[in-house]
């Protein structure tokens, strides 16, 4: 592909969408506004990412995946800042790459939409913090007295806002600045030491232990009102609006003590009088987002964790600016993260109900609700069958299709526990009153008749999590794994919404490939060795792709079963074909023996395709029947464009001057192949099948000449 052509096509798309000028090919000082460089960055990075993602690479926070993330985020920055590109603009360049490079790299044509989705998702995540990170960068520059960016700031740009170091260095170079790398490395090492010390929990330096909670109570600090986490509504299309909340700082936790204020760079904990953030509990992951100081938009707090301790919601994160006790902070949660998590949480309840339908006894042993997936652990005596998994997935999909309302209401714990059919982990301690979540039936109706059948006909559980308001808002659903966790405990992993849509789309593509392959297998009626071998290779390759794909597990099992059946059919046919070829080779050898009697040299053809074992069997017939005969046999496989040959020379004949390896070398160049062997036996292959007659003539002449000379 000509890169200039690609750039022209890319810039045409950009110009049509944003009005940014087309690519003009300017470089260096001539590219005053940096527009042409931005086009080149996008063009190069679009090509790199398209090929890398098609080959299975994925953006990540470590290793090779982080290289892809750095490339992607650099492109996003140039797209949004230099070319005024809207979200999704960079991802659209994948189509241009596929159009220009598809013939050279057919792998990128298989599922370009999946590549676009990965790029758009990464772009969306980075754009959430790009503007805020730039504000920190600009504030830092405004305060500089020299021309070096503090390394601690560069680390915060990476750790809090996702700015790769090379992006910060590039932004610095554009201002004729540099980054203090010694300070950066020191800040990085310090952060890693803290991360190792806290493990997967909250850093002890900011956590609320029993002593801290007692201190708050002694001071008369009231527990956090987190009822605002339920403050959202949805329109008819399923678009959610989350009510804004401003909370007042009632406590600041830093270095294992309460303080009156925290300054820029501090990793601390904040307790507010009220919050809309969901603190991790009940299997649901915590909210992310940020807080902005009322009256001072430059001061913000980037959330990295939210936990609840003794009724106090602890917001953990990093400060930019100065925050004091008594300040008011406007809370901005990551709405897309919360929205996906809500869908997954409601789907977890529906899955629980579906498992009871399919397995009878299936008690919940744990769950994890994330934005990108859900995980559900349950008791089971044996693995679920493919049919049970399929039925469970369909039950959830049916309830989603019914678009039932989700009802939530608190009730006295003793009364709630009497509800017949209610699902709960009764070994857990629940508050009194307890929140009941019901699908399609009002909680009041269930509580009024706790011994009635209502709760056996739908999902009814104790739950304090956040959920969608209607089941139809969940969207597509897919169970992608069912596996053993411990003895008597199974685990299901499932997807909803966009992730499930991608899974179903990938599954449909694999189904098409499977259908095409199945048709080719059915057409393979001849049982020819070479054709069967190629089909078996295709089956193995498709099976590997199916195994590596994130698709509904019941469909994965069904596809693998069909592939195994097709493979067995081919291998059985190939086995029968080989058996037939061996017999044909033996019979043909006997015919040649009968026709040639005790001649000292035999050069002939045995039609066994490229099946070398059958040709060898024919040669062995001569060794058994006429041990004093030098024999050279050929076989041609016209479909593969291949010719094979083997020869056997008695020791007495070899001593007389006709050696097997010299014999095959006499014509091997003509056939364009390779040979191997010793004095008494040799073999070879070639591709010039049209030269068979000439090769046989040369072989006879060589044998006659060498035997005559003796």
């Amino acid at each position: 592909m000509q890169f200039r052509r690609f750039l022209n096509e890319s810039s045409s798309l950009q110009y049509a969408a944003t009005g940014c000028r087309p690519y003009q090919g300017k470089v260096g000082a001539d590219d005053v506004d940096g527009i042409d460089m931005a086009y080149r960055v996008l063009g190069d990075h679009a090509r790199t990412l398209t090929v890398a993602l098609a080959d299975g690479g994925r953006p990540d926070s470590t290793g090779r995946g982080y290289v892809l993330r750095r490339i992607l985020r650099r492109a996003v920055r140039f797209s949004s800042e230099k070319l005024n590109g809207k979200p999704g603009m960079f991802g659209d360049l994948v189509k241009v790459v596929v159009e220009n490079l598809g013939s050279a790299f057919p792998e990128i044509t298989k599922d370009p939409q999946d590549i676009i989705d990965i790029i758009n998702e990464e772009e969306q995540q980075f754009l959430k913090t790009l503007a805020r990170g730039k504000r920190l960068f600009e504030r830092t520059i405004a305060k500089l007295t020299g021309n070096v960016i503090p390394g601690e700031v560069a680390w915060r740009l990476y750790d809090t806002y996702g700015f790769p170091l090379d992006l910060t260095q590039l932004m610095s170079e554009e201002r004729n600045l540099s980054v203090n790398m010694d300070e950066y490395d020191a800040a990085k090492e310090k952060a890693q030491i803290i991360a190792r010390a806290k493990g997967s929990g909250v850093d002890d330096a900011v956590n609320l232990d029993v002593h801290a909670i007692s201190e708050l109570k002694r001071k008369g600090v009231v527990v956090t009102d987190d009822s605002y986490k339920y403050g959202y509504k949805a329109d008819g299309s399923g678009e959610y609006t989350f009510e804004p909340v401003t909370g007042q700082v009632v406590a600041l936790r830093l270095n294992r003590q309460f303080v009156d204020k925290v300054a820029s760079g501090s990793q601390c904990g904040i307790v507010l009088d009220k919050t809309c953030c969901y603190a991790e509990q009940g299997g649901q992951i915590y909210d992310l987002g940020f807080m902005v100081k009322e009256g001072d938009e430059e001061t913000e707090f980037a959330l990295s964790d939210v936990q609840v301790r003794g009724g106090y919601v602890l917001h953990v994160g990093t400060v930019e600016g100065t925050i004091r006790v008594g300040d008011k902070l406007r809370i901005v949660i990551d709405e897309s993260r919360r929205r996906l998590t809500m869908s997954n949480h409601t789907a977890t309840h529906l899955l629980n109900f579906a498992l009871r339908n399919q397995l009878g006894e299936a008690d919940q042993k744990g769950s994890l609700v994330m934005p990108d997936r859900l995980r559900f652990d349950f008791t089971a005596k044996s693995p679920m069958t493919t049919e049970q998994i399929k039925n469970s997935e369909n039950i959830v999909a049916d309830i989603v299709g019914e678009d039932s309302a989700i009802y939530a209401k608190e009730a006295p714990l003793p009364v709630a526990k009497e509800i017949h059919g209610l699902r709960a982990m009764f070994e857990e301690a629940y508050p009194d009153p307890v929140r009941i979540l019901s699908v399609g039936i009002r909680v009041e109706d269930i509580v009024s008749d706790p011994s009635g059948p209502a709760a056996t006909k739908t999902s009814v559980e104790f739950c304090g999590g956040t959920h969608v308001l209607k089941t139809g808002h969940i969207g597509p659903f897919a169970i992608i794994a069912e596996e053993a966790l411990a003895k008597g405990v199974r685990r299901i992993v499932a997807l909803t919404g966009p992730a499930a849509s991608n899974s179903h789309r990938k599954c449909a593509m694999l189904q098409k490939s499977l259908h095409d392959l199945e048709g080719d297998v059915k057409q393979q009626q001849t049982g020819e060795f070479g054709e069967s071998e190629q089909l078996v290779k295709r089956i193995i390759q498709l099976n590997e792709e199916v195994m590596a794909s994130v698709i509904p597990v019941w469909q994965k099992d069904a596809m693998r079963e069909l592939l195994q059946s097709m493979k067995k059919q081919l291998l059985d046919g190939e086995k029968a074909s080989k058996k037939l070829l061996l017999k044909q080779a033996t019979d043909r050898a006997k015919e040649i023996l009968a026709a040639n009697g005790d001649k000292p040299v035999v050069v002939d053809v045995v039609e066994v395709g490229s099946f070398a074992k059958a040709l060898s069997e024919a040669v062995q017939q001569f060794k058994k029947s006429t041990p004093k005969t030098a024999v050279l046999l050929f076989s041609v496989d016209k479909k593969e464009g291949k010719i094979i040959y083997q020869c056997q020379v008695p020791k007495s004949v070899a001593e007389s001057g006709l050696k097997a390896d010299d014999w095959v070398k006499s014509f091997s160049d003509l056939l364009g192949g390779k040979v191997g062997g010793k004095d008494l036996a040799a073999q070879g292959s070639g591709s010039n099948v049209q030269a068979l007659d000439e090769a046989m003539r040369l072989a006879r002449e060589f044998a006659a000449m060498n035997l005559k000379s003796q």
Side-chain angles (χ1 to χ4, degrees):
M1 175 184 84
Q2 291 185 350
F3 192 47
R4 178 61 183 255
R5 174 190 167 196
F6 176 69
L7 288 173
N8 289 335
E9 292 181 23
S10 302
S11 67
S12 296
L13 288 175
Q14 191 78 30
Y15 179 77
T18 68
C20 186
R21 71 165 175 81
Y23 182 68
Q24 297 176 354
K26 296 179 180 178
V27 296
D30 294 335
D31 187 20
V32 178
D33 54 10
I35 297 295
D36 287 340
M37 177 183 175
Y39 278 128
R40 288 189 290 272
V41 168
L42 262 65
D44 175 81
H45 292 9
R47 293 187 306 174
T48 300
L49 290 167
T50 299
V51 174
L53 295 177
D55 282 343
R58 292 294 181 267
D60 204 345
S61 57
T62 59
R64 290 173 292 182
Y66 185 56
V67 175
L68 295 181
R69 177 165 287 171
R70 288 165 54 194
I71 292 172
L72 199 155
R73 292 189 169 184
R74 184 170 186 259
V76 168
R77 188 233 169 185
F78 273 97
S79 176
S80 62
E81 292 188 6
K82 291 290 186 180
L83 303 178
N84 301 317
K86 304 301 180 186
M89 177 68 69
F90 179 57
D92 284 342
L93 293 182
V94 171
K95 300 172 185 176
V96 183
V97 176
V98 171
E99 182 180 344
N100 285 273
L101 282 180
S103 59
F105 299 97
E107 189 71 21
I108 68 177
T109 66
K110 287 186 177 180
D111 192 3
Q113 188 58 48
D114 183 51
I115 299 172
I116 294 172
D117 290 342
I118 293 171
I119 290 176
N120 287 345
E121 183 179 347
E122 280 286 318
E123 178 184 44
Q124 183 182 28
Q125 290 300 317
F126 185 47
L127 287 176
K128 289 176 182 177
T129 58
L130 178 59
R132 289 163 40 225
K134 282 173 55 183
R135 286 202 298 271
L136 168 60
F137 184 77
E138 295 295 340
R139 287 199 302 269
T140 301
I141 290 177
K143 297 175 184 177
L144 281 182
T145 55
N147 60 353
V148 179
I149 300 288
E152 188 262 346
V153 172
W155 171 251
R156 290 211 308 275
L157 281 170
Y158 164 77
D159 192 38
T160 305
Y161 301 103
F163 277 46
L165 175 61
D166 51 0
L167 178 57
T168 301
Q169 290 174 318
L170 176 64
M171 293 168 61
S172 301
E173 289 170 4
E174 292 173 350
R175 308 292 187 91
N176 295 319
L177 303 172
S178 61
V179 175
N180 189 319
M181 289 306 301
D182 290 338
E183 292 181 2
Y184 177 87
D185 292 337
K188 178 180 179 180
E189 183 178 359
K190 179 181 177 181
Q192 290 173 338
I193 292 173
I194 293 174
R196 286 194 294 269
K198 78 172 185 177
S200 58
V202 179
D203 183 5
D204 289 340
V206 301
N207 200 10
L208 297 178
D209 55 21
V210 291
H211 303 294
I213 293 171
S214 297
E215 185 176 346
L216 289 174
K217 290 181 177 179
R218 285 198 307 271
K219 292 179 178 180
V221 178
V222 179
V223 296
T224 310
D225 179 5
D226 65 346
S227 61
Y228 298 92
K229 64 190 177 189
Y230 303 124
Y232 50 84
K233 56 187 177 181
D235 60 20
S237 64
E239 291 294 324
Y240 278 70
T241 303
F242 295 84
E243 297 177 7
V245 173
T246 298
Q248 186 171 29
V249 179
V250 296
L252 294 169
R253 187 75 173 169
L254 181 68
N255 296 328
R256 294 182 174 82
Q257 59 184 348
F258 291 106
V259 296
D260 294 327
K261 69 176 182 178
V262 288
S264 289
S266 298
Q267 293 184 340
C268 63
I270 297 179
V271 179
L272 304 173
D273 62 342
K274 57 184 177 182
T275 184
C276 59
C277 291
Y278 186 86
E280 183 174 18
Q281 56 187 323
Q284 181 176 328
I285 194 69
Y286 49 81
D287 278 335
L288 291 179
F290 61 96
M291 306 179 191
V292 178
K293 184 175 178 179
E294 194 174 74
D296 181 7
E297 293 290 321
E298 296 298 312
T299 297
E300 71 172 40
F301 182 77
L303 282 168
S304 60
D305 198 352
V306 184
Q307 299 290 328
V308 60
R309 301 285 188 265
Y312 298 102
V313 175
L314 180 69
H315 306 79
V316 180
T318 305
V319 180
E320 293 301 335
T322 301
I323 296 177
R324 295 177 171 81
V325 173
D327 285 345
K328 292 185 176 181
L329 302 178
R330 175 169 52 85
I331 305 168
V332 181
I333 66 168
D334 185 334
E335 295 182 0
S336 63
R337 173 185 167 95
R338 166 76 82 83
R339 173 65 181 84
L340 293 169
T341 304
M342 286 160 52
S343 286
N344 283 336
H345 201 157
T346 306
T348 304
H349 284 221
L350 301 186
L351 176 61
N352 194 359
F353 172 75
L355 291 174
R356 179 175 64 181
N357 177 283
Q358 288 296 297
L359 304 178
E361 292 298 324
D363 295 329
Q364 180 178 347
K365 302 300 290 183
S367 65
L368 177 64
V369 181
M370 304 281 286
D372 59 336
R373 68 189 185 281
L374 64 93
R375 197 177 72 199
F376 188 78
D377 303 336
F378 58 98
T379 58
K381 295 179 181 179
S382 60
M384 292 179 70
T385 65
T386 299
E387 191 67 18
Q388 287 173 330
I389 297 172
K390 177 183 177 180
N391 291 341
S392 298
E393 185 176 294
N394 287 338
I395 289 171
V396 174
D398 289 344
I399 300 174
V400 169
E402 292 168 1
D403 199 24
S404 301
I406 308 295
Y407 298 99
K409 194 174 182 65
E410 290 186 343
L413 184 59
V415 175
K417 284 186 173 182
E418 294 300 317
I419 297 174
H420 176 59
L422 179 136
R423 306 288 283 174
M425 298 176 66
F426 287 102
E427 65 271 18
E428 294 287 327
Y430 290 98
D432 189 5
V434 66
R435 188 170 183 257
I436 301 174
L437 195 91
S438 171
V439 176
I441 302 176
R442 296 192 322 142
V443 175
E444 295 92 328
D445 296 338
I446 296 174
V447 172
S448 65
D449 184 17
S451 59
T456 64
K457 298 178 180 180
T458 189
S459 169
V460 181
E461 296 190 31
F462 292 159
C463 187
T466 58
H467 292 263
V468 292
L469 302 179
K470 302 190 77 175
T471 59
H473 298 167
I474 294 174
F477 177 77
I479 296 175
I480 61 168
E482 192 276 340
E483 57 199 11
L485 181 62
K487 185 178 181 180
V489 181
R490 308 292 297 178
R491 168 171 288 175
I492 277 179
V493 181
L495 309 173
T496 68
S501 293
N502 292 340
S503 177
H504 289 309
R505 188 183 70 247
K506 179 66 174 179
C507 187
M509 293 178 58
L510 291 172
Q511 289 281 17
K512 182 181 183 305
S513 297
L514 181 59
H515 177 75
D516 294 342
L517 180 55
E518 187 178 16
D520 292 342
V521 170
K522 287 179 178 178
Q523 289 178 6
Q524 163 62 345
Q525 299 296 332
T526 62
E528 291 188 18
F529 171 62
E531 290 184 3
S532 296
E533 190 177 49
Q534 291 303 314
L535 286 171
V536 168
K537 287 181 180 179
R538 287 175 58 191
I539 288 173
I540 293 172
Q541 290 172 352
L542 183 56
N543 187 65
E544 290 175 350
E545 187 176 358
V546 169
M547 285 296 296
S549 297
V550 180
I551 60 175
V553 67
W554 69 267
Q555 291 182 288
K556 177 180 287 190
D557 289 344
M559 281 190 265
R560 291 186 63 211
E561 185 176 342
L562 179 56
L563 285 166
Q564 290 302 317
S565 174
M566 290 161 53
K567 182 179 178 182
K568 184 178 184 303
Q569 175 186 338
L570 287 170
L571 291 177
D572 287 347
E574 183 179 297
K575 184 177 180 181
S577 175
K578 288 181 177 179
K579 187 176 181 180
L580 178 62
L581 286 174
L582 286 170
K583 185 178 183 305
Q584 290 175 348
T586 302
D587 293 344
R588 174 59 179 155
K590 291 177 180 178
E591 291 177 4
I592 298 172
L593 279 165
N596 289 275
D598 293 329
K599 289 182 180 180
V601 176
V602 172
V603 178
D604 216 315
V605 176
V606 176
E607 295 181 355
V608 291
S610 56
F611 189 20
K613 185 177 180 181
L615 190 62
S616 177
E617 186 68 22
V619 170
Q620 290 303 313
Q621 285 295 315
F622 280 85
K623 186 175 182 180
K624 295 175 185 176
S625 302
T626 56
K628 294 182 178 181
T629 299
V631 60
L632 170 62
L633 299 179
F634 292 83
S635 179
V636 175
D637 189 329
K638 293 182 179 179
K639 288 188 176 181
E640 288 193 13
K642 184 178 181 181
I643 184 168
I644 62 173
Y645 45 91
Q646 293 187 23
C647 72
Q648 184 81 35
V649 176
K651 185 176 181 181
S652 59
V653 175
E655 290 174 350
S656 297
L658 180 60
K659 293 181 173 58
D661 52 349
D662 292 334
W663 197 7
V664 295
K665 288 176 183 177
S666 68
F667 57 83
S668 61
D669 289 343
L670 174 66
L671 297 179
K674 53 186 179 180
V675 298
K678 296 183 179 179
D679 291 355
L680 305 184
Q683 63 284 324
S685 63
S687 57
N688 187 7
V689 297
Q690 305 299 326
L692 173 62
D693 291 341
E694 179 64 13
M696 293 175 67
R697 185 187 66 79
L698 291 175
R700 291 189 182 104
E701 289 181 355
F702 183 86
M705 180 178 65
N706 280 272
L707 290 176
K708 184 177 181 180
S709 63
Q710 300 298 322

